[in-house]
């Protein structure tokens, strides 16, 4: 195999630890994943982000060897995910979106069971259980039956469960789903530590953009089975701005119907929407100077003005719209070809 060498998140030139080339999965006429080319580097936290049904889970199942691709290949640590599944599983931990444990067993008993399934010696299991329960903040509940655990507690125990076999790669499916804000903050910190302190490679599949963007080194935006953009968040934001996508947060006094009408009359404005205490003004030009001039001339006081650009929700929305526009264009071209063919 040939690799493109790039710097890992530690600054050291490295080969990708996870790599896919033309990875495709079809279910009948539906392409759940189409022509996925992806490289994830050692020690990196990579977010595979997109709405439900985008193909994220299908991608992780192919990486884990739990479903075979229709076309293309995937490797983890240079091992083929389809043909070397046992070896891949030895170095890869998987945490599903709804971690399942035996409810009539305690947290500690569940971890011991996982250790035995992975062929660990009893003394290793006991030492690792204590270490991991403390690390994920679950020592206090270790001897409670997991059937009494909250979702957040199960998620934290799920991280300990994944770590029992000391994996090089961890794949997480919607890890923050249904967790309260404090539990989410603790889980995000734990995931960062797994990459930055342990040097593990983390792939997170999620549709919760705001939470995940706080810890990812890079993200891939997934829509309808296709990777539509990939890179650091600041890179994607910069590209959007270069393509002429501008979003202003605006607030002013008096906050009345005339204020919204003023914003709509600025010129070169695509949309004006209310979001909480702010108006969002979307345009293809930087309107800040003109906006301040209009406020002054029409007797309004500007109380808030901020240029958005690095917010992942906004980036995703723009890429999603861009994908829809391209699809509409392709459909129109296809329709013209069909019309022309019918006229022959």
């Amino acid at each position: 195999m040939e690799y493109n060498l790039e710097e890992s998140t530690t600054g050291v030139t490295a080969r990708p630890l996870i790599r896919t080339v033309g990875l495709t999965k079809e279910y009948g006429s539906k392409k759940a994943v189409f022509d996925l080319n992806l490289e994830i580097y050692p020690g990196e936290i990579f977010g595979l982000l997109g709405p439900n049904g985008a193909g994220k889970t299908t991608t992780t199942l192919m990486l884990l060897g739990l479903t075979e691709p229709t076309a293309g290949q995937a490797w983890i640590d240079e091992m083929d995910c389809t043909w070397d599944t046992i070896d891949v599983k030895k170095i890869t931990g998987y945490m599903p979106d709804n971690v399942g444990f035996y409810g009539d067993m305690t947290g500690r008993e569940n971890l011991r069971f996982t250790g035995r399934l992975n062929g660990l010696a009893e003394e290793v299991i006991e030492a690792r259980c204590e270490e991991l329960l403390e690390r994920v903040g679950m020592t206090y509940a270790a001897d409670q039956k997991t059937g009494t655990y909250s979702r957040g507690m199960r998620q934290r125990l799920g991280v300990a469960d994944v770590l029992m076999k000391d994996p090089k790669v961890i794949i997480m499916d919607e890890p923050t789903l249904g967790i309260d804000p404090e539990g989410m903050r603790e889980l995000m910190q734990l995931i960062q530590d797994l990459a930055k302190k342990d040097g593990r490679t983390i792939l997170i599949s999620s549709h919760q953009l705001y939470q995940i963007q706080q810890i990812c080194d890079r993200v891939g935006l997934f829509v309808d089975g296709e990777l539509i953009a990939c890179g650091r968040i600041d890179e994607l934001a910069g590209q959007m701005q270069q393509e002429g996508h501008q979003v202003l947060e605006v607030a002013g006094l008096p906050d009345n119907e005339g204020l919204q009408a003023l914003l709509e009359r600025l010129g070169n404005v695509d949309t004006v929407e209310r979001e909480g205490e702010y108006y969002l003004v979307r345009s293809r030009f930087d309107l800040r100077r003109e906006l301040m001039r209009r406020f002054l001339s029409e007797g309004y006081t500007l109380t808030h003005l901020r240029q958005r650009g690095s917010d992942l929700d906004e980036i995703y929305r723009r890429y999603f719209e861009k994908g829809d526009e391209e699809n509409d264009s392709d459909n129109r071209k296809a329709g013209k070809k069909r019309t022309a063919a019918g006229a022959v």
Side-chain angles (χ1 to χ4, degrees):
M1 291 178 286
E2 294 182 0
Y3 291 98
N4 293 322
L5 296 184
E6 287 192 7
E7 282 195 355
S8 71
T9 55
T10 58
V12 179
T13 300
R15 288 184 172 88
L17 195 59
I18 301 174
R19 182 173 180 252
T20 71
V21 174
L23 196 64
T24 299
K25 181 64 179 180
E26 298 175 354
Y27 295 100
S29 60
K30 177 177 173 55
K31 291 184 177 179
V33 177
F34 178 67
D35 195 29
L36 177 62
N37 297 295
L38 186 64
E39 293 182 345
I40 302 172
Y41 292 84
E44 184 173 34
I45 302 176
F46 187 93
L48 192 60
L49 308 179
N52 294 328
K56 305 184 303 296
T57 299
T58 301
T59 299
T60 60
L61 292 177
M62 287 190 283
L63 290 174
L64 293 163
L66 298 176
T67 188
E68 292 188 14
T70 306
Q73 287 180 278
W75 299 268
I76 293 181
D77 201 18
E78 302 188 46
M79 295 180 289
D80 190 294
C81 295
T82 302
W83 300 105
D84 303 320
T85 53
I86 293 176
D87 291 330
V88 167
K89 287 186 175 76
K90 286 179 181 178
I91 66 163
T92 305
Y94 175 58
M95 188 170 131
D97 59 344
N98 191 11
V99 184
F101 294 105
Y102 291 103
D104 59 349
M105 292 167 56
T106 67
R108 193 188 308 275
E109 289 169 342
N110 271 281
L111 292 184
R112 286 173 180 156
F113 181 71
T114 296
R116 289 168 188 148
L117 282 178
N118 283 280
L120 302 179
E122 288 299 316
E123 60 271 19
V124 174
I125 290 173
E126 290 306 313
R128 205 166 280 180
C129 277
E130 293 305 316
E131 174 194 344
L132 294 175
L133 285 166
E134 182 176 353
R135 184 170 189 182
V136 302
M138 287 295 291
T139 303
Y140 76 96
D143 297 310
Q144 295 177 24
K145 291 185 176 181
T146 57
T148 67
Y149 282 12
S150 67
R151 183 179 178 88
M153 293 167 71
R154 288 199 305 273
Q155 292 297 90
R156 281 189 283 164
L157 187 66
V159 174
D161 190 70
V162 164
L163 292 174
M164 280 299 291
K165 64 178 177 181
D166 194 22
K168 183 183 291 189
V169 175
I170 298 175
I171 298 175
M172 297 179 164
D173 193 357
E174 300 287 1
T176 61
L177 196 62
I179 302 179
D180 63 81
E182 179 60 21
M184 189 177 298
R185 185 192 65 78
E186 292 173 353
L187 183 60
M188 293 294 95
Q189 183 60 59
L190 178 57
I191 293 172
Q192 278 189 306
D193 288 347
L194 294 177
K196 307 313 174 189
K197 293 183 179 179
D198 295 10
R200 304 179 200 271
T201 303
I202 316 289
L203 171 60
I204 300 176
S205 166
S206 181
H207 72 275
Q208 296 188 310
L209 308 186
Y210 175 72
Q211 291 83 2
I212 300 303
Q213 74 177 355
Q214 300 174 63
I215 62 169
C216 288
D217 299 299
R218 289 188 303 137
V219 298
L221 305 184
F222 224 50
V223 176
D224 293 333
E226 295 191 50
L227 192 68
I228 60 173
C230 183
R232 297 195 311 269
I233 293 170
D234 60 341
E235 292 174 338
L236 299 180
Q239 185 173 337
M240 285 288 95
Q241 289 181 351
Q242 288 174 8
E243 292 178 1
H245 296 291
Q246 307 282 338
V247 182
L248 287 177
E249 282 181 3
V250 183
L253 293 174
D255 187 355
N256 53 23
E257 292 181 2
L259 177 57
Q260 181 165 347
L262 182 157
L263 297 172
E264 291 171 346
R265 293 196 311 271
L266 283 172
N268 298 310
V269 170
D270 293 334
T271 62
V272 176
E273 300 171 15
R274 188 70 186 238
E275 186 180 272
E277 58 185 310
Y278 305 128
Y279 288 96
L280 296 187
V281 181
R282 293 186 169 87
S283 68
R284 297 182 181 275
F285 300 92
D286 188 348
L287 300 177
R288 284 175 289 185
R289 182 174 297 180
E290 175 65 12
L291 185 146
M292 288 186 283
R293 189 187 69 79
R294 289 287 189 91
F295 265 59
L296 185 62
S297 66
E298 299 192 26
Y300 284 87
T301 301
L302 185 63
T303 60
H304 177 86
L305 179 63
R306 185 175 79 90
Q307 180 83 53
R308 283 191 180 183
S310 59
D311 182 81
L312 188 55
D313 289 276
E314 184 63 30
I315 294 167
Y316 190 86
R317 193 183 79 86
R318 285 297 184 183
Y319 270 108
F320 192 88
E321 286 178 352
K322 184 179 176 183
D324 283 347
E325 289 169 4
E326 289 173 353
N327 287 337
D328 288 344
S329 176
D330 290 343
N331 289 337
R332 285 194 295 271
K333 288 177 182 177
K336 288 179 180 178
K337 288 180 180 177
R338 284 193 295 272
T339 302
V344 172

